[in-house]
Amino acid sequence: MAFEKVKRSENYSEWYNNLVKNADLAEHAAVKGCMIIKPYGYAIWEKMQQQLDKMFKETGHSNAYFPLLIPKSFFEKEEKNAEGFAKECAVVTHYRLKVDENRKIIVDPDAKLEEELIIRPTSEAIIWNTYRSWIQSYRDLPILLNQWANVMRWEMRTRLFLRTSEFLWQEGHTAHATAEEALVETKQMLDVYAEFAETFLGVPVIKGVKTSNETFAGAVETYCIEGLMQDGKALQMGTSHFLGQNFAKAFDVKFQTKEGKLEYVWATSWGVSTRLMGALIMAHSDDEGLVLPPNLAPFQIVIIPIYKTDEERARVQEKAFEIKKTLEKNNISVKFDDRDTHKPGFKFAEWELKGVPLRIGIGPRDIENGTIELARRDTKEKSVINIEGIDIFIKNLLEEIQSAIYIKAKSFRDSSIHKVDSWDEFTKVLEEKAGFLSAHWDGTSETEEKIKNLTKATIRCIPLNNEQEVGTCVLTGNPSSQRVLFAKAY
RNA sequence: CGGGGUGUAGCGUAGCCAGGUAUCGCGUCAGCAUGGGGUGCUGAAGGUCGUAGGUUCAAAUCCUGCCACUCCGACCA
């Protein structure tokens, strides 16, 4: 395998594309904007799913599944939601093909659907249409559901994982009796996302609220976690929406209170997607390839045998299996790369490219000495250690790597938050340093829009528990009560 | 939707301006050697040159249409 190697520092976006392809994560599909997630990439996604799913269940949610196709009439009920997504909806208009005179397959004009169907860009419409029939009394509440699904948004510009037309995600949809309860839910799920991002992806995130410009179509408030990538651009990694009674009103979902009054139901929705794969890649990887945090690596450690003769191979194999078993007993996932078709050097490079956190090299020399060679992917440190007590050693080391990756990303992120107090400073820092700009803003959509047009930077969020501080807007000089975070974003 | 790019073997490409039946590398297959950082040598297989039409004795090459993907912008998780 000869890889076209692109340096991160030279062309970040090309580096990213190359890495996704070379590390066997995904490739472009025949259909524009769609991707094929390859087994290795999908294995990482599955790990994310498993962990998130566990966390959702721990917080009282159950999984369910709602259909891909949504009648247009449902979709248009929540006006803002419909408007927000209208431009990117794929529409099913026919239910049949036929063979024409030229033996070509064509859409059968006689098979036009009476009502057009939308391929879900998100499922609030179909779910709230369903919730109407599920909810009558306060006893039916809360409803705490999640679904793992694919959605489609016909994007104009796509990038593998970061923005594809079809993507995989989970969407939670909950229904509550009170606004307070729904708000608690919204924030709880935001916390779940933040914890997941930091402990599993190893990506530090800032929790915040979106400005009205950036609020989800149909939501009252959108909370988000924002991460920072190595090129200084921000990435929205998850959102949790307080939907108020918007969907309940649009779909006429009411319940009877203890007191016998009819009230509209309060709602939340929250989601993270395969975009997290993009975050994972862009937050940690280097010129040698992917760097995976142990908590999400399909293999936490790879064992590469070194030998010349068949006799040596057999001896090394035996020892390698022994080590593999010992590690597996400690819940460490191990790949023993016993392919005889590739040389060790090739395997070293390949598994580095794929981001496996630790590598064991073992050969005849080691067997004599009772040692192995251990190499860390994140720091590229190599050491020779005794086989004795290897399980505990590696278990601890994996934890150390997980935290080292996080700390590295965090110190980068922390040093990339720049306080700026004038327009000159704003544009200069944005140009020269990128990252987050913490700046005063007068709170109007107009100003936000102007700044976006002038610099391409948007307000990523108003951090939660933001320090209140009197100041003046960087652009207009109007009074402001707090700083918000600007950045160029993916 | 606007601007650029690309489409030739599984992958990456040369050839196109100055038309004559396709180059090279990687990979694949076979064999021998090799094996502690992307192995070496020898041999072999593999192509309706994106697609439809036109010009020509002759088209990967020139002309026209179409399609797809990709990059850069407007839009978005």
Side-chain angles (χ1 to χ4, degrees):
Chain A
M1 256 182 271
F3 297 118
E4 189 192 339
K5 232 179 181 178
V6 179
K7 286 199 170 166
R8 207 171 22 165
S9 53
E10 282 166 10
N11 187 338
Y12 196 80
S13 124
E14 209 184 327
W15 165 83
Y16 175 85
N17 289 336
N18 248 281
L19 185 47
V20 170
K21 266 180 235 160
N22 292 339
D24 255 340
L25 301 176
E27 61 188 49
H28 289 286
V31 178
K32 180 183 165 64
C34 293
M35 68 176 161
I36 292 157
I37 304 177
K38 299 179 77 173
Y40 193 67
Y42 202 80
I44 299 170
W45 174 241
E46 279 180 317
K47 287 223 144 192
M48 293 189 193
Q49 282 186 301
Q50 276 165 21
Q51 179 57 29
L52 284 165
D53 203 66
K54 190 174 154 222
M55 293 169 94
F56 297 157
K57 296 202 170 129
E58 281 166 2
T59 43
H61 303 86
S62 307
N63 285 331
Y65 187 77
F66 293 81
L68 172 74
L69 298 175
I70 301 176
K72 203 178 90 189
S73 59
F74 291 8
F75 188 70
E76 64 199 5
K77 280 188 183 167
E78 211 300 322
E79 227 174 286
K80 284 202 177 121
N81 186 248
E83 260 181 50
F85 285 107
K87 286 172 294 186
E88 38 193 272
C89 282
V91 186
V92 178
T93 56
H94 292 75
Y95 57 85
R96 194 165 65 205
L97 300 172
K98 70 170 192 181
V99 180
D100 74 355
E101 317 80 64
N102 307 316
R103 303 195 52 82
K104 285 257 161 50
I105 297 282
I106 59 162
V107 172
D108 187 343
D110 295 332
K112 200 162 170 20
L113 286 169
E114 208 146 295
E115 180 175 3
E116 288 155 345
L117 301 171
I118 313 295
I119 298 178
R120 62 179 165 217
T122 178
S123 301
E124 277 79 3
I126 191 98
I127 285 177
W128 280 87
N129 187 69
T130 309
Y131 280 1
R132 182 177 54 234
S133 66
W134 289 1
I135 300 169
Q136 280 95 40
S137 143
Y138 71 92
R139 290 177 183 149
D140 298 324
L141 295 172
I143 294 181
L144 304 172
L145 292 188
N146 173 64
Q147 83 165 344
W148 290 96
N150 58 339
V151 287
M152 174 154 272
R153 299 178 186 176
W154 210 268
E155 297 288 349
M156 297 175 185
R157 203 154 127 42
T158 57
R159 298 194 64 189
L160 292 170
F161 291 119
L162 296 173
R163 176 167 296 108
T164 46
S165 289
E166 182 192 14
F167 58 89
L168 306 183
W169 76 345
Q170 59 66 220
E171 44 180 328
H173 294 275
T174 68
H176 305 266
T178 65
E180 294 70 41
E181 195 184 304
L183 257 171
V184 168
E185 166 78 6
T186 310
K187 289 183 182 166
Q188 171 185 243
M189 297 324 286
L190 188 74
D191 288 342
V192 165
Y193 288 157
E195 194 197 328
F196 174 76
E198 301 197 335
T199 13
F200 284 81
L201 294 170
V203 180
V205 293
I206 292 168
K207 292 188 267 189
V209 193
K210 288 291 185 186
T211 61
S212 60
N213 276 2
E214 304 266 334
T215 299
F216 175 73
V220 174
E221 249 175 341
T222 290
Y223 294 83
C224 63
I225 51 170
E226 292 284 327
L228 191 68
M229 303 299 107
Q230 294 184 85
D231 62 346
K233 283 169 92 173
L235 182 73
Q236 178 174 307
M237 290 170 58
T239 47
S240 185
H241 313 291
F242 173 60
L243 302 173
Q245 294 174 310
N246 291 348
F247 284 88
K249 284 178 180 163
F251 289 88
D252 194 32
V253 187
K254 290 183 206 161
F255 73 103
Q256 213 163 11
T257 64
K258 268 183 196 169
E259 293 76 34
K261 281 191 289 184
L262 270 185
E263 283 179 13
Y264 285 112
V265 175
W266 298 84
T268 83
S269 68
W270 27 274
V272 295
S273 70
T274 35
R275 168 178 265 195
L276 289 180
M277 293 285 294
L280 186 65
I281 298 160
M282 289 199 296
H284 307 308
S285 302
D286 61 24
D287 287 344
E288 264 62 56
L290 212 53
V291 174
L292 292 175
N295 285 349
L296 289 177
F299 307 115
Q300 293 172 313
I301 187 161
V302 59
I303 302 175
I304 294 170
I306 292 142
Y307 53 85
K308 287 182 189 164
T309 62
D310 281 349
E311 186 271 331
E312 278 180 357
R313 186 183 182 193
R315 263 165 54 211
V316 171
Q317 226 171 26
E318 193 186 341
K319 198 75 197 167
F321 270 123
E322 219 174 272
I323 294 171
K324 184 170 189 265
K325 265 192 197 153
T326 311
L327 295 175
E328 281 171 346
K329 260 186 216 154
N330 287 272
N331 294 319
I332 296 164
S333 55
V334 186
K335 169 80 181 175
F336 177 38
D337 187 354
D338 194 29
R339 289 175 296 176
D340 192 34
T341 49
H342 297 273
K343 286 184 60 168
F346 179 92
K347 296 178 185 176
F348 293 173
E350 187 176 62
W351 291 111
E352 269 164 19
L353 181 59
K354 292 191 159 195
V356 178
L358 282 174
R359 181 187 74 226
I360 288 178
I362 180 164
R365 224 155 59 204
D366 292 303
I367 291 181
E368 273 172 40
N369 301 335
T371 58
I372 51 130
E373 184 195 72
L374 190 63
R376 257 176 89 151
R377 175 63 184 88
D378 64 328
T379 59
K380 303 199 184 74
E381 285 165 352
K382 279 198 274 196
S383 54
V384 174
I385 65 160
N386 285 322
I387 294 180
E388 194 79 20
I390 199 178
D391 46 349
I392 306 298
F393 187 84
I394 286 180
K395 212 176 158 80
N396 291 338
L397 188 53
L398 285 170
E399 275 171 35
E400 193 187 315
I401 292 172
Q402 179 75 34
S403 98
I405 287 176
Y406 172 75
I407 288 167
K408 190 177 171 202
K410 186 164 188 306
S411 74
F412 171 76
R413 197 279 311 272
D414 289 345
S415 66
S416 302
I417 302 178
H418 311 290
K419 273 196 183 180
V420 295
D421 289 307
S422 69
W423 186 243
D424 274 356
E425 216 185 334
F426 187 101
T427 52
K428 195 168 167 234
V429 174
L430 186 68
E431 183 67 30
E432 288 169 7
K433 298 183 180 165
F436 287 113
L437 302 181
S438 176
H440 279 283
W441 161 63
D442 65 16
T444 65
S445 291
E446 294 72 44
T447 302
E448 184 179 3
E449 197 63 32
K450 264 186 210 160
I451 293 177
K452 183 180 172 184
N453 292 335
L454 288 168
T455 64
K456 283 176 196 157
T458 49
I459 298 177
R460 299 321 304 154
C461 69
I462 303 162
L464 294 187
N465 310 319
N466 207 13
E467 191 185 324
Q468 298 300 298
E469 173 194 293
V470 175
T472 55
C473 175
V474 273
L475 185 69
T476 62
N478 291 333
S480 149
S481 62
Q482 62 180 340
R483 290 173 183 272
V484 298
L485 290 179
F486 287 87
K488 288 186 189 170
Y490 277 99

